[in-house]
Amino acid sequence: MTPHAILAVTDFSAQGDNALSRAALLAVEHGATLKLLYLAYPGEPPPPDAARRLALHAMQLSERHDIPVRSASRIAFTLEDILPEARCADLLVWGTAPVRGIRSFFSGQPVERMLRRCQRPILVVRNPAEGPYRSLVVAIDFSEASRSLVELAFALNKDAQVELFHAVSTANEGKLRYAEVSEQAIRAYREECRRYAQDRMFRLTDSYDARRNRVLSAIRYGNPARQVAVQQQRSGAELIVVGKHPSSAAVDLLFESVAQGVLRDSTSDVLIVPHSYQPASSAPAASASPIRSRRAWRDCEASADPYNGISPIRQNESSQ
């Protein structure tokens, strides 16, 4: 999936600035439309000049990269305020500072809640954007969704080095020991899991080797989220790509997903892809041709933004 419409979310923090820069680079790489949106910190009023600052960021990015960049006319106070804009985007680029407090413990970070509300890939940016992603680690579980993850990673940068990674969970070994299964049987079980993972990994990498010369693979044992973070540090990859199964807030609280664990344990940028996602530009009305795709995107934009992407401040200036 190549993103054709990108929405960058910022709170004007350092992480937010990194997200805007990364979103602009991706827009240049893929010829995508780019729109900026400001999300206020929960429970705090936004800066009085938030709309003007966002428009200034859009103008600076447009001049620096020679691309059209638009700013949302509305300030988002809640995640529900983002949803109309997010539904028009193929990719959300997220740059907000972590939220602290008891609410975040029970309901998760805003980006985690956004994943439950909007079935769009979200790129969580943490580091400065110095160029296209040159190396990626893709966490796979050999499900049908794994192939979509790999294709999405390849689409981000066709020249990047891509490493497919799978962690064989050892959680079942603890259950076997609790049931007093012999160590010999547990070792045999682990060996069987290893052979199965190697066979599936070989099939997956072999299907891409004919098209790419830079597909690597690795298999480790242990907690999947922690092992993905360790593998990223070991390889020096600039981005982790991980999938996310649909779940409720209660399920995420009681049973932490691999995506949640990767967000917590890693320090690199992370692209989280819902397993049931559908790009906005792949809708039937937008798939017939590039012209119809852009027209459908503009129609979606118009319904999400009554000011047509121009802030009231800029409208007043243009009317004077």
Side-chain angles (χ1 to χ4, degrees):
M1 189 272 307
T2 299
H4 298 291
I6 298 174
L7 177 67
V9 179
T10 180
D11 59 359
F12 298 146
S13 63
Q15 192 166 324
D17 291 342
N18 292 340
L20 297 185
S21 297
R22 175 58 65 186
L25 286 177
L26 289 171
V28 172
E29 284 183 76
H30 302 288
T33 60
L34 175 58
K35 191 168 187 178
L36 314 185
L37 184 144
Y38 173 79
L39 174 63
Y41 191 89
E44 295 185 5
D49 61 343
R52 188 179 297 274
R53 289 175 63 181
L54 193 67
L56 180 60
H57 277 293
M59 183 181 67
Q60 291 173 338
L61 291 173
S62 179
E63 293 177 351
R64 185 181 309 151
H65 298 281
D66 193 25
I67 57 173
V69 182
R70 310 170 72 196
S71 60
S73 60
R74 296 175 175 178
I75 292 174
F77 293 91
T78 65
L79 296 182
E80 284 70 20
D81 296 335
I82 301 179
L83 288 178
E85 302 283 0
R87 293 191 182 104
C88 300
D90 297 319
L91 174 67
L92 274 65
V93 180
W94 198 273
T96 62
V99 174
R100 309 297 180 186
I102 192 69
R103 181 184 177 187
S104 64
F105 174 78
F106 286 105
S107 59
Q109 292 294 319
V111 67
E112 296 172 3
R113 301 201 301 274
M114 192 65 189
L115 280 163
R116 292 194 290 267
R117 288 170 168 82
C118 177
Q119 294 298 308
R120 294 288 186 270
I122 299 182
L123 173 60
V124 180
V125 179
R126 291 161 169 166
N127 301 312
E130 299 176 349
Y133 289 119
R134 295 165 296 183
S135 55
L136 299 78
V137 170
V138 184
I140 58 175
D141 59 3
F142 304 125
S143 65
E144 288 298 322
S146 293
R147 188 169 293 275
S148 297
L149 284 181
V150 178
E151 294 287 355
L152 183 56
F154 288 167
L156 283 177
N157 182 3
K158 60 182 179 63
D159 297 321
Q161 174 179 287
V162 176
E163 180 178 45
L164 310 186
F165 179 80
H166 177 75
V168 179
S169 176
T170 56
N172 287 336
E173 294 183 15
K175 298 177 183 178
L176 293 175
R177 290 189 176 91
Y178 182 78
E180 298 183 350
V181 175
S182 68
E183 285 298 321
Q184 181 179 359
I186 293 175
R187 286 195 297 270
Y189 169 77
R190 173 179 286 197
E191 179 62 20
E192 181 64 25
C193 290
R194 184 188 65 80
R195 284 198 300 266
Y196 173 81
Q198 285 182 332
D199 179 65
R200 297 298 300 272
M201 182 70 79
F202 175 79
R203 294 182 186 180
L204 192 58
T205 55
D206 188 58
S207 64
Y208 293 110
D209 281 342
R211 288 182 287 164
R212 297 176 58 98
N213 296 322
R214 310 190 71 184
V215 181
L216 307 177
S217 64
I219 298 174
R220 298 285 185 270
Y221 292 94
N223 178 276
R226 193 172 301 117
Q227 291 301 317
V228 170
V230 170
Q231 186 66 19
Q232 178 273 322
Q233 294 176 349
R234 181 183 291 114
S235 66
E238 299 171 336
L239 176 68
I240 296 174
V241 182
V242 61
K244 175 76 166 63
H245 290 282
S247 61
S248 64
V251 170
D252 283 343
L253 175 63
L254 296 174
F255 308 100
E256 182 182 69
S257 68
V258 174
Q260 287 176 286
V262 169
L263 279 175
R264 184 195 64 239
D265 295 337
S266 66
T267 58
S268 68
D269 294 357
V270 180
L271 175 60
I272 309 170
V273 184
H275 282 188
S276 57
Y277 89 94
Q278 180 183 17
S281 59
S282 69
S287 59
S289 69
I291 294 177
R292 292 189 62 187
S293 176
R294 291 188 178 276
R295 185 180 301 142
W297 179 82
R298 287 197 299 268
D299 292 342
C300 184
E301 285 278 285
S303 65
D305 188 348
Y307 294 106
N308 196 27
I310 304 176
S311 71
I313 294 175
R314 294 169 64 189
Q315 280 199 332
N316 292 337
E317 290 175 348
S318 61
S319 63
Q320 293 177 352

